[in-house]
Amino acid sequence: ALRKNAPAVRLIKSLYGTKQAPRVWYKCINSFLIECGLNPLKSDPCCYVRFEGDKILIVCLYVDDLLIWGSTLCIVSELKSKLNERFDISDLGPLTHLLGMSITRDRHKKTLFVNQHSYIKNILNQYSMTECNTSPTPMEYKFALTRINQNEAKCNEDYRSIIGRL
């Protein structure tokens, strides 16, 4: 409890783990990216873009991770250098995994392949379904819903959980 007439304390920066920490971080990185000439998209304020003639730089922010794409290596390197001056960053190299997706890039063929094999295998392992049969849909066509008992309720809960993860 604060003493009566005690001086107010104001933090200069947010503490990790507090409720306001994510908001403070977003305001900080947002203002930095805008200073670098990037503009947030109206459709997604965590995705930033900058056009320089025929060159484009795209930055996507996910919590404290940045995904950086650019039409030239020079503009990507320039942004990384500015980020390194302001923040303590780690460059993890080319993107290979993102949000449960595996990403494979073939620069020679100019292709990008995205899959979720490992994510789906983890779900199947978690629910002991590694030997299950495939199905084009998660439920039978025109399935009739009926009241269920307690044993079926647990199965129904697992089913909803699995579908939710997909």
Side-chain angles (χ1 to χ4, degrees):
L2 292 174
R3 291 180 293 152
K4 196 172 191 177
N5 298 326
V9 176
R10 184 175 181 165
L11 295 174
I12 296 172
K13 66 184 235 180
S14 68
L15 299 173
Y16 181 80
T18 59
K19 281 186 173 183
Q20 72 272 20
R23 179 71 180 143
V24 171
W25 163 244
Y26 175 76
K27 287 174 77 173
C28 176
I29 192 68
N30 180 62
S31 63
F32 175 79
L33 292 172
I34 290 171
E35 284 174 21
C36 292
L38 290 143
N39 296 308
L41 297 178
K42 289 179 184 175
S43 58
D44 186 350
C46 291
C47 190
Y48 298 79
V49 66
R50 181 178 79 197
F51 295 98
E52 294 176 5
D54 61 343
K55 297 178 190 171
I56 185 170
L57 180 65
I58 301 170
V59 177
C60 290
L61 173 65
Y62 181 75
V63 187
D64 60 351
D65 292 327
L66 294 173
L67 302 174
I68 305 170
W69 292 276
S71 55
T72 67
L73 190 57
C74 181
I75 60 174
V76 171
S77 297
E78 175 190 329
L79 180 63
K80 285 182 184 179
S81 176
K82 287 180 181 178
L83 281 163
N84 202 28
E85 289 173 14
R86 176 84 179 268
F87 305 102
D88 183 22
I89 67 167
S90 298
D91 186 349
L92 302 177
L95 184 63
T96 57
H97 287 85
L98 174 69
L99 302 173
M101 295 177 284
S102 176
I103 299 163
T104 307
R105 180 178 182 180
D106 186 337
R107 290 180 187 267
H108 298 295
K109 293 181 181 177
K110 296 184 179 181
T111 60
L112 194 67
F113 182 75
V114 179
N115 73 60
Q116 291 185 294
H117 292 211
S118 60
Y119 179 74
I120 292 169
K121 282 184 181 180
N122 287 338
I123 294 172
L124 293 173
N125 285 331
Q126 182 180 355
Y127 292 96
S128 303
M129 295 180 66
T130 53
E131 301 300 320
C132 69
N133 295 323
T134 61
S135 175
T137 60
M139 187 180 286
E140 299 167 17
Y141 178 67
K142 292 188 178 181
F143 182 77
L145 297 175
T146 59
R147 286 209 176 271
I148 58 175
N149 62 35
Q150 287 295 344
N151 292 337
E152 291 172 325
K154 173 66 175 134
C155 180
N156 192 14
E157 187 178 306
D158 287 344
Y159 177 80
R160 287 186 304 203
S161 177
I162 293 168
I163 296 302
R165 291 196 55 198
L166 293 177

